[in-house]
Amino acid sequence: MCAHASYLINLASASSEIRRRSVAALADEIERCAQLGIPDLVLHPGSHGGEGESRGVARIAAGLDEAFRRARSSRVRVLLEGAAGQGACVGHRFEHLRDIAGASRSPHRLGVCLDTCHTLAAGYDIASEEGWSRTIAALDATFGLEKLRAIHANDSRRPLGSRVDRHGHVGAGYVGRAGFGNLLRDPRLTAVPKYLETPKDPNGDWDRQNLARLRRLSRTPPRAGGRGSRP
């Protein structure tokens, strides 16, 4: 089980005031998770505002350490969510997540959340079997699969490498049926919790439809040749 931190938190900001408020907000989020018995908190790494990825990585690591110091709980993990790569956001390469953990004094408090829309948009081919294997191997090599603690199962309305974050319904975008099949049939990820961040409707019908598609795809054998496809 996990919660999602406020989208307003930006530990990488070039503004010292925004960073100060972001650290305080993250510490509060960690405390709320502890009080509710939620072990994991998903966090967008943040945007460096044009000052460069290395400075953004360093600021994020320092901000995480400060938030952990301020929060009374020592049990809640923060899961760094991979980004699509829009603008000056940090986290669209697995190496960014590795470097944040490497610069932190509390790497044992950090994990990863993989978002399928963001991953494809960032340039990782998860829609073909070959691409999926390369992507998971890259994640394992940089951060370690044991650190992957949540997956957002969302299709992408923009193509591979677009670096544009636009979520779509399962199987209706560029991840496609084959991409979700790769995810759902991978035995290494069976125990990793998966969550929808697909478009919503007032009655929740779209969520039920997306969940039904995921269940069907988990039972569907891969197509011959193993290439990704859109519906």
Side-chain angles (χ1 to χ4, degrees):
M1 180 170 58
C2 70
H4 201 302
S6 168
Y7 293 102
L8 297 177
I9 294 174
N10 183 9
L11 299 179
S13 176
S15 164
S16 59
E17 178 62 17
I18 291 176
R19 292 199 307 274
R20 184 188 67 79
R21 293 182 179 182
S22 294
V23 167
L26 179 58
D28 285 346
E29 296 263 19
I30 291 170
E31 280 299 304
R32 277 192 288 272
C33 283
Q35 292 168 12
L36 294 169
I38 299 172
D40 293 321
L41 176 65
V42 176
L43 174 72
H44 288 185
S47 170
H48 58 71
E51 293 204 344
E53 293 173 356
S54 61
R55 294 195 73 175
V57 164
R59 286 170 174 164
I60 293 165
L64 286 164
D65 287 340
E66 178 62 16
F68 287 141
R69 187 189 69 80
R70 291 191 189 187
R72 291 185 298 276
S73 170
S74 61
R75 301 187 305 277
V76 177
R77 288 181 296 253
V78 170
L79 308 186
L80 301 170
E81 181 175 345
Q86 290 190 157
C89 287
V90 178
H92 60 281
R93 306 304 303 168
F94 295 152
E95 290 81 3
H96 295 169
L97 309 182
R98 175 201 64 197
D99 293 345
I100 291 168
S104 170
R105 297 190 301 270
S106 306
H108 61 287
R109 301 277 308 268
L110 299 175
V112 171
C113 172
L114 182 77
D115 184 296
T116 51
C117 169
H118 298 176
T119 303
L120 183 99
Y124 293 96
D125 173 17
I126 59 173
S128 70
E129 283 191 48
E130 298 88 348
W132 176 262
S133 295
R134 288 193 300 269
T135 299
I136 296 302
L139 179 61
D140 192 24
T142 52
F143 210 100
L145 280 183
E146 71 279 1
K147 293 288 189 177
L148 180 59
R149 304 203 180 259
I151 295 172
H152 291 166
N154 316 304
D155 218 318
S156 175
R157 287 155 48 198
R158 297 296 178 90
L160 175 68
S162 64
R163 295 183 64 167
V164 177
D165 181 6
R166 296 291 185 274
H167 291 200
H169 294 295
V170 170
Y174 287 90
V175 175
R177 293 190 295 265
F180 285 105
N182 293 332
L183 165 65
L184 295 166
R185 291 190 296 267
D186 191 325
R188 296 167 294 182
L189 307 184
T190 300
V192 180
K194 301 166 183 71
Y195 305 88
L196 290 172
E197 281 187 346
T198 44
K200 308 299 180 186
D201 69 312
N203 299 321
D205 291 337
W206 292 352
D207 276 352
R208 285 186 281 273
Q209 292 166 13
N210 280 307
L211 286 170
R213 288 171 192 156
L214 288 173
R215 292 189 180 103
R216 286 196 300 271
L217 289 168
S218 70
R219 299 188 295 268
T220 304
R223 293 185 178 185
R227 297 192 62 81
S229 64
R230 295 182 66 198

